[in-house]
Amino acid sequence: MIAKLLLSNGNVFEGISIGAEGTFYGEMTFDTSMAGYQEVLENPAYFGKIVVMTYPEIGNCGINKKISPSVKGLIVKNYCQNENHYLSKESLASCLKENNIIGISEIDTRKLTKIIKNSDKLTCLITTEEITEEMKNKLKSLETSTISENEIEKNSLSTSENTHKKTDIKKVLVIGSGPIVIGQAAEFD
């Protein structure tokens, strides 16, 4: 199935859908990891964002456990349809569909990363439908909006195994800056 990526600066990319169907909007960021796309999907630093993977081959290890993704969308260059790892429980595409995350492959992620790096904030939409004027207008309105505190509270530090609240945090350490976070840790009571 064909999917389209429309950037708030007007650029349009066409690729292959690898996740949920429909239209999804979000702020874009990129990740330079050569491994660990499963961890990228779960990274709370990417909550509500559409992540561009700069490493060209994604999906070859599949997904090895039930995950709680925080991303809204995933953009890759080459999606490996035949995952081949002894711990794999499901393919990346089926995980994206199951968690209602849109994905698109066959995109020039190097070009896209350069566009993101040269932008203060870049929003986009990924759709499996035809792009309409209404979609373009909604995308323009998202350029100035931000994620609400309520959405952050609802999704930060809460997984099925972890029920800590923001008020429980004593110390937080983040190493790195901008869209690339090298490491992060939190200390709780």
Side-chain angles (χ1 to χ4, degrees):
M1 173 181 288
I2 299 295
K4 293 179 182 160
L5 168 66
L6 173 63
L7 309 184
S8 56
N9 67 8
N11 287 334
V12 178
F13 296 82
E14 191 171 289
I16 306 295
S17 174
I18 58 167
E21 294 179 17
T23 301
F24 294 73
Y25 300 83
E27 184 179 348
M28 296 181 74
T29 190
F30 62 90
D31 188 276
T32 59
S33 303
M34 292 178 66
Y37 55 85
Q38 181 171 309
E39 289 76 14
V40 168
L41 294 174
E42 294 183 294
N43 189 337
Y46 294 141
F47 168 69
K49 298 201 179 197
I50 295 178
V51 180
V52 177
M53 299 298 294
T54 60
Y55 190 73
E57 197 70 34
I58 302 294
N60 51 337
C61 292
I63 301 292
N64 65 14
K65 64 176 183 163
K66 193 80 170 159
I67 65 171
S68 299
S70 58
V71 303
K72 194 180 276 187
L74 187 67
I75 301 170
V76 301
K77 171 64 178 152
N78 296 320
Y79 169 66
C80 180
Q81 294 182 11
N82 302 316
E83 77 277 357
N84 188 12
H85 193 276
Y86 73 99
L87 291 176
S88 178
K89 304 278 188 240
E90 66 179 328
S91 70
L92 174 59
S94 66
C95 174
L96 294 176
K97 286 176 186 169
E98 179 183 313
N99 289 286
N100 199 32
I101 298 169
I102 198 156
I104 185 171
S105 69
E106 304 302 320
I107 299 295
D108 185 349
T109 55
R110 286 183 174 191
K111 180 178 181 179
L112 199 50
T113 301
K114 287 179 184 176
I115 293 170
I116 295 168
K117 284 177 73 172
N118 293 325
S119 303
D120 289 334
K121 178 181 174 184
L122 190 63
T123 55
C124 73
L125 72 83
I126 302 175
T127 185
T128 55
E129 303 162 3
E130 286 301 315
I131 297 173
T132 64
E133 283 302 315
E134 184 180 326
M135 289 177 184
K136 291 177 183 179
N137 292 337
K138 183 173 180 182
L139 181 59
K140 288 235 181 267
S141 71
L142 292 175
E143 274 187 294
T144 56
S145 67
T146 58
I147 296 172
S148 72
E149 183 68 26
N150 190 25
E151 287 177 308
I152 293 170
E153 179 72 33
K154 182 173 66 178
N155 286 281
S156 62
L157 303 173
S158 62
T159 64
S160 55
E161 306 112 29
N162 183 357
T163 57
H164 294 292
K165 296 182 177 89
K166 276 176 39 178
T167 54
D168 295 338
I169 299 173
K170 288 171 39 179
K171 297 177 189 171
V172 175
L173 169 67
V174 177
I175 303 169
S177 64
I180 303 170
V181 175
I182 298 168
Q184 54 189 5
E187 183 179 312
F188 298 95
D189 287 328

